[in-house]
């Protein structure tokens, strides 16, 4: 560990994560699909936008607070739900503690390595992410469980296309860590003794199971076992989205929206919010950068539901740009995981502090007293930058067959 564990940028957190993690673990964080064009596009698009700062009229105090689905947050930044955070022994609990320390909302994945009850104890302002996996009865049980744990909202991810293959190679990730597997991966683990020592000191092995996909108190399924169930589940219809809204009975955010017609249908289905997201480039490669798609969706439905954004956020200035283009808040995934790998809970707090500082500087320089005052006039937007996908007028209710049951197929 460096003499000074503090880092001044998300880029430095990433460099430290790469130095400290075994190659397969770091590769799993980078993830992506196919050529990785969407990963690069997400971050590069923010750099295409410029600021239009003011020279006089700055405010001595700036309000960076907001609410998301009625839950207050000290910063318009949420921790995005990401699966199996085995980069650190404390995993999602360390992230939850960091979120609590900085007063932000945490999203917890169905594929998390720690039970929702344990994470909710560390951060009660928790949103739980649900995948359309298994039967309706199984999904209803998961909703009952996270509701009982105190989750404030449901994040639903439905559009995953199970893209496989990366031009740079996919990391080797075992199904379970038994003795034989540990011996096979020993050379890579031993190449990062600090990472190995942290686990040895904690008395735990990296956990590749997903307890929130199983029955409470039962044996947690393996990551790939749960992933296989998800892949084999009949994809949902818009009627299934309506069922989820009714079954949950509380605030629900639909994650993964990139098209205006889908955004309008989501409103008709009764969702409370949506996230303009391409899953950080982990899904269908060559999907455009989310910040380019954001303005059209915010214009289409932003007066009826809350619109969030994720994908490529690395700086507080990126947060300001997203808010100026219509987002209520952003979600961060890789940035928080790099912080976790770099320095555990303190590393995630470090990342949040970096984003806070950058956002505060942007609000100050643009002459505002609140993040809610940010608007397109604060930006230099290149010609042709905004994109509209699915902008044609379509019927409010699409033609569809009977509502799916979500039953696994053979």
């Amino acid at each position: 560990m460096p003499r000074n564990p503090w880092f001044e940028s998300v880029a430095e957190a990433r460099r430290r994560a790469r130095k400290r993690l075994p190659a397969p673990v770091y590769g799993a964080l980078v993830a992506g699909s196919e050529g990785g064009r969407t990963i690069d596009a997400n971050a590069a698009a923010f750099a295409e936008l410029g600021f239009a700062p003011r020279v006089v009229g700055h405010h001595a105090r700036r309000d960076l607070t907001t609410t998301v689905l009625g839950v207050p947050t000290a910063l318009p930044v949420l921790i995005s739900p990401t699966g199996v955070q085995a980069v650190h022994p404390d995993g999602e609990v360390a992230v939850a503690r960091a979120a609590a320390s900085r007063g932000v909302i945490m999203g917890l994945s169905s594929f998390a390595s720690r039970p929702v009850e344990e994470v909710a104890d560390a951060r009660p302002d928790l949103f739980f992410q649900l995948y359309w996996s298994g039967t309706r009865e199984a999904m209803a049980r998961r909703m009952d469980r996270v509701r009982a744990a105190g989750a404030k909202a449901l994040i639903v991810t439905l559009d995953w296309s199970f893209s496989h293959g990366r031009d740079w190679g996919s990391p080797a990730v075992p199904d379970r860590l038994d003795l034989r597997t540990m011996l096979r991966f020993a050379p890579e683990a031993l190449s990062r003794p600090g990472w190995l020592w942290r686990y040895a000191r904690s008395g735990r092995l990296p956990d590749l199971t997903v307890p929130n996909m199983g029955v409470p108190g039962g044996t947690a399924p393996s990551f790939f076992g749960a992933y296989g169930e998800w892949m084999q589940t009949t994809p949902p219809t818009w009627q299934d989205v309506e069922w989820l809204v009714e079954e949950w009975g509380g605030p629900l955010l639909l994650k993964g929206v990139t098209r205006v017609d889908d955004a309008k249908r989501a409103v008709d289905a009764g969702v409370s919010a949506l996230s303009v997201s391409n899953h950080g480039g982990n899904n269908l490669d060559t999907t455009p950068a989310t910040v380019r798609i954001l303005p059209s969706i915010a214009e289409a439905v932003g007066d009826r539901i809350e619109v969030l954004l994720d994908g490529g956020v690395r700086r507080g200035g990126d947060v300001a740009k997203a808010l100026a283009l219509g987002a209520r808040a952003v979600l961060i995934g890789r940035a928080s995981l790099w912080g976790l790998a770099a320095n555990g809970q303190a590393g995630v707090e470090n990342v949040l502090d970096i984003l806070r500082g950058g956002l505060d500087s942007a609000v100050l320089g643009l002459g505002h007293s609140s993040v809610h005052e940010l608007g397109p006039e604060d930006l230099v937007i290149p010609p042709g930058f905004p994109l509209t996908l699915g902008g044609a007028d379509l019927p409010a209710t699409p033609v569809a067959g009977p509502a799916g049951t979500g039953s696994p197929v053979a």
Side-chain angles (χ1 to χ4, degrees):
M1 179 175 289
R3 193 169 299 170
N4 182 1
W6 178 85
F7 44 85
E8 62 180 319
S9 69
V10 171
E12 175 60 19
R14 178 176 182 171
R15 284 190 288 269
R16 294 189 187 186
R18 185 167 193 169
K19 289 179 180 178
R20 294 178 185 181
L21 296 176
V25 180
Y26 178 77
L29 291 194
V30 175
S33 66
E34 299 183 338
R37 293 182 179 272
T38 296
I39 295 177
D40 296 338
N42 276 342
F46 279 107
E48 291 183 44
L49 295 167
F51 284 123
R54 301 179 185 276
V55 69
V56 174
H58 297 160
H59 296 266
R61 296 181 180 178
R62 279 82 55 196
D63 181 10
L64 306 184
T65 65
T66 190
T67 61
V68 176
L69 295 176
V71 179
T73 174
L75 197 64
V77 175
L78 285 71
I79 304 292
S80 186
T82 53
V84 190
Q85 297 177 7
V87 301
H88 187 277
D90 293 334
E92 292 85 0
V93 172
V95 177
R97 290 169 180 159
S101 171
R102 295 304 184 262
V104 303
I105 298 164
M106 179 180 175
L108 182 70
S109 173
S110 289
F111 283 81
S113 62
R114 304 295 279 271
V116 60
E117 295 84 1
E118 189 177 349
V119 179
D121 282 345
R123 184 48 174 157
D125 286 345
L126 185 77
F127 292 179
F128 185 83
Q129 180 195 42
L130 182 80
Y131 289 99
W132 187 262
S133 178
T135 63
R136 278 192 175 188
E137 291 75 18
M139 286 182 273
R141 285 196 300 269
R142 289 179 200 133
M143 284 187 265
D144 289 342
R145 177 181 179 180
V146 301
R147 190 185 295 112
K152 302 291 179 65
L154 199 68
I155 299 174
V156 175
T157 300
L158 301 178
D159 65 321
W160 197 261
S161 62
F162 304 103
S163 298
H164 294 289
R166 301 175 176 92
D167 290 358
W168 55 94
S170 297
V173 180
D175 190 32
R176 288 185 184 272
L177 278 182
D178 53 22
L179 180 60
R180 184 176 180 179
T181 304
M182 291 190 314
L183 290 173
R184 182 161 61 92
F185 281 86
E188 289 166 327
L190 290 172
S191 70
R192 297 292 187 269
W195 178 80
L196 197 60
W197 170 245
R198 281 194 292 273
Y199 271 98
R201 191 172 54 185
S202 73
R204 303 177 64 237
L205 289 173
D207 194 347
L208 301 179
T209 60
V210 285
N212 297 309
M213 293 293 283
V215 179
T219 301
S222 70
F223 176 88
F224 289 107
Y227 190 83
E229 179 192 72
W230 179 25
M231 288 184 70
Q232 295 177 70
T233 301
T234 302
T237 66
W238 282 107
Q239 288 88 348
D240 291 322
V241 176
E242 293 173 1
W243 174 80
L244 285 168
V245 170
E246 183 177 357
E247 182 69 25
W248 173 247
L252 185 148
L253 183 153
L254 181 63
K255 188 174 186 289
V257 176
T258 60
R259 297 171 57 100
V260 168
D261 49 3
D262 278 345
K264 291 178 178 178
R265 286 168 172 169
V267 172
D268 292 342
V271 307
S272 315
L274 60 84
S275 178
V276 181
S277 168
N278 52 36
H279 307 285
N282 292 335
N283 195 16
L284 201 58
D285 197 29
T286 70
T287 301
T290 49
V291 74
R292 291 165 63 88
I293 304 166
L294 170 64
S296 62
I297 293 178
E299 181 179 0
V301 301
D303 60 338
R304 288 176 285 173
I305 61 173
E306 295 181 9
V307 175
L308 287 78
L309 172 136
D310 72 73
V313 175
R314 303 288 183 267
R315 306 176 189 279
D318 297 342
V319 181
K321 291 170 183 178
L323 269 56
L325 292 177
R328 187 170 188 85
V330 305
L331 297 99
I332 59 167
R334 287 186 180 91
S336 60
L337 290 176
W338 291 331
L340 179 65
N343 195 24
Q345 175 185 337
V348 181
E349 293 169 351
N350 196 156
V351 165
L352 292 170
D353 290 344
I354 289 167
L355 297 180
R356 170 182 286 280
L359 175 60
D360 187 59
S361 292
V363 175
L364 171 63
L366 294 168
H368 296 308
S369 62
S370 167
V371 291
H372 297 284
E373 297 171 359
L374 293 165
E377 66 279 2
D378 294 311
L379 303 180
V380 179
I381 304 173
F385 180 86
L387 295 177
T388 301
L389 307 184
D393 290 334
L394 294 176
T397 303
V399 177
T405 63
S407 300
V409 298

